[in-house]
Amino acid sequence: MRVDQIFEQAKAAGAQPVSFEMFPPKGEMTLERAREVAGSFSQLNPDFISVTYSAGGSGNNGATTKIAQMIDADFGIPSVAHLTCISLKRADLLAKIDEMRAAGIQNVLALRGDVPQGAPTGPGCADYRYAKDIIPHLVDAGFCVGAAAYPEGHIECDDLELSVRQLKEKQDAGASFLVTQLFFDNQYFYRFRELAERAGITVPITAGIMPFMGKQQISRMVFMCGASLPSPVIKLLARYEDDADSLRAAGIEYACRQLEDLAANGVDGLHVYTMNRADVASAAMSALRA
């Protein structure tokens, strides 16, 4: 099923789609292990599951299409295959399109991806510089295409309003839904939503939430994504500095409260960055269905 249809049906029913992300981690993730993860998620009946593509530039991107196909075929859950364009040549893109179509993939999340260290940048250095450059090709190939949104602005852009205008270009290129980067303060999302509406963005925006599970993880996310740490999060990090289990529990609880608040404030959809953890997915669903 196409994700744009999922949003249309949910809106008509006064509901909000809830989706999960899973990823092939660095190195190898066998299809059997991916099936176990997807199977645990399927018991929670998410509206769709997205599958990342080479996170950080070093993941097992060859598995993305196979895992997305398996989720749809084995569990009857719509899947979204991520596709990053930063290292793609035109021939590579065409090959990926053929691969995904042959696998029956209907939904693709178009992303720029992380620029490899040492790679040249600037005009002429890559066939596709931005996600918006591949979106029309994917739409023309028949996919329902989503794109990433940044509630606090892209980390490489200091101007939030400019970042929103660039997001509008993704919609204009053919993106029919948007998934946000993680954030820890819902007020940033509400401010971003207002800016997006003023900029003419009309496609559904699903809010992405990731629980913090440890100090190292949250530090990496802050530096990679530019997400702000509000005072309540800093206080939790300080309180449970020497208690890893309690910090993980507090991180999941904090994310659940974020999800509840977002749902109450009428967001278009909710996307949980699960880190392949069934307990994260289960806690999120329990909070939203309470």
Side-chain angles (χ1 to χ4, degrees):
M1 187 174 187
R2 290 171 59 97
V3 169
D4 52 4
Q5 295 173 329
I6 291 172
F7 278 106
E8 288 171 5
Q9 292 180 6
K11 184 177 181 180
Q16 298 156 314
V18 180
S19 54
F20 299 152
E21 179 188 276
M22 60 180 290
F23 61 90
K26 293 180 180 180
E28 293 295 325
M29 183 183 198
T30 65
L31 194 61
E32 193 55 41
R33 173 56 186 149
R35 185 174 286 108
E36 292 175 5
V37 174
S40 67
F41 290 169
S42 71
Q43 296 176 24
L44 300 168
N45 298 311
D47 290 280
F48 62 89
I49 297 174
S50 72
V51 184
T52 65
Y53 181 93
S54 189
S58 57
N60 184 18
N61 62 41
T64 301
T65 299
K66 293 178 181 178
I67 293 173
Q69 179 186 36
M70 175 270 294
I71 290 170
D72 208 323
D74 291 5
F75 299 105
I77 298 173
S79 63
V80 179
H82 291 209
L83 179 64
T84 62
C85 70
I86 194 63
S87 299
L88 283 183
K89 298 297 184 183
R90 288 182 175 82
D92 298 328
L93 177 60
L94 293 175
K96 277 292 178 185
I97 287 173
D98 288 344
E99 173 190 301
M100 292 188 294
R101 291 176 71 175
I105 301 299
Q106 296 187 66
N107 308 292
V108 180
L109 189 69
L111 305 160
R112 186 196 70 172
D114 298 322
V115 179
Q117 287 189 345
T121 58
C125 293
D127 287 350
Y128 307 103
R129 296 185 64 200
Y130 305 109
K132 67 177 182 179
D133 297 332
I134 64 169
I135 290 173
H137 299 286
L138 295 168
V139 172
D140 288 346
F143 297 108
C144 171
V145 182
Y150 304 91
E152 298 182 63
H154 193 280
I155 193 169
E156 296 176 11
C157 181
D158 294 330
D159 186 334
L160 179 58
E161 293 192 4
L162 173 59
S163 187
V164 171
R165 291 197 298 272
Q166 292 171 338
L167 182 62
K168 174 66 160 50
E169 294 177 2
K170 296 179 185 180
Q171 175 182 281
D172 294 343
S176 56
F177 68 97
L178 302 170
V179 181
T180 78
Q181 182 177 264
L182 63 92
F183 53 91
F184 299 106
D185 186 338
N186 288 0
Q187 294 307 313
Y188 285 113
F189 177 85
Y190 301 138
R191 178 186 63 175
F192 158 76
R193 182 170 63 175
E194 291 178 3
L195 290 173
E197 289 174 355
R198 291 207 299 265
I201 293 173
T202 58
V203 299
I205 303 173
T206 190
I209 295 297
M210 176 186 285
F212 55 87
M213 310 296 287
K215 293 184 70 174
Q216 183 177 1
Q217 176 233 17
I218 202 169
S219 296
R220 184 173 64 252
M221 290 300 99
V222 167
F223 282 103
M224 284 182 61
C225 306
S228 300
L229 286 184
S231 176
V233 173
I234 295 172
K235 290 178 180 178
L236 288 171
L237 291 171
R239 182 182 308 163
Y240 300 116
E241 182 176 8
D242 301 315
D243 186 346
D245 290 341
S246 294
L247 181 58
R248 282 194 293 272
I252 294 174
E253 174 68 15
Y254 185 90
C256 287
R257 302 292 80 78
Q258 280 191 274
L259 291 165
E260 289 173 342
D261 180 76
L262 290 162
N265 281 277
V267 299
D268 297 324
L270 296 155
H271 188 66
V272 183
Y273 295 104
T274 66
M275 297 163 284
N276 293 351
R277 293 184 52 145
D279 59 333
V280 169
S282 179
M285 279 302 199
S286 294
L288 291 169
R289 291 173 176 169

